[in-house]
Amino acid sequence: MTARAVTDATFEQEVLKSEKTVLVDFWAEWCGPCRAVSPILDQIATEHSDKLDIVKVNVDENPQLAMKYQITSIPAMKVYRGGEVVKTVIGAKPKPALEADLAAYLA
């Protein structure tokens, strides 16, 4: 299972109205660190699919979402629960560090 793309049009339904906790990866094609963290997020998505949905938002293709959630540097990962941002992680990190940041949502 890999992280699926969401857009301005699908964000509300897939993230804000989701029953599950959702991690949104705000990224761009040209961003090296974004490409580095992507396979790590795919692994976490596969290993914890029962607890956490992971989706991606391309900030170049969805500038309204990037503005709304004040994305000023990428990769930026925001965890949503019940339609609210409950955690923000900025920058590419190795898998153990990301799992530590997300431990409260993976348990």
Side-chain angles (χ1 to χ4, degrees):
M1 176 175 178
T2 58
R4 67 189 181 281
V6 296
T7 63
D8 288 333
T10 61
F11 190 85
E12 182 177 353
Q13 190 60 44
E14 296 212 34
V15 178
L16 301 180
K17 292 185 176 174
S18 176
E19 303 272 318
K20 285 169 77 175
T21 302
V22 182
L23 180 143
V24 180
D25 175 24
F26 291 90
W27 72 289
E29 197 70 49
W30 48 264
C31 166
C34 297
R35 289 196 308 271
V37 83
S38 185
I40 296 169
L41 290 174
D42 288 344
Q43 286 178 357
I44 292 171
T46 300
E47 292 166 13
H48 300 282
S49 61
D50 56 329
K51 307 255 189 318
L52 187 70
D53 272 346
I54 298 182
V55 300
K56 296 175 172 291
V57 171
N58 184 318
V59 295
D60 290 337
E61 296 170 3
N62 300 281
Q64 292 87 350
L65 284 172
M67 248 187 316
K68 179 175 181 180
Y69 291 102
Q70 301 168 345
I71 304 303
T72 54
S73 63
I74 53 175
M77 293 151 272
K78 292 190 178 280
V79 179
Y80 293 79
R81 187 179 264 171
E84 299 293 320
V85 176
V86 293
K87 174 113 181 144
T88 300
V89 179
I90 302 291
K93 296 181 177 190
K95 187 178 179 200
L98 266 178
E99 286 179 322
D101 283 342
L102 300 173
Y105 311 104
L106 301 178

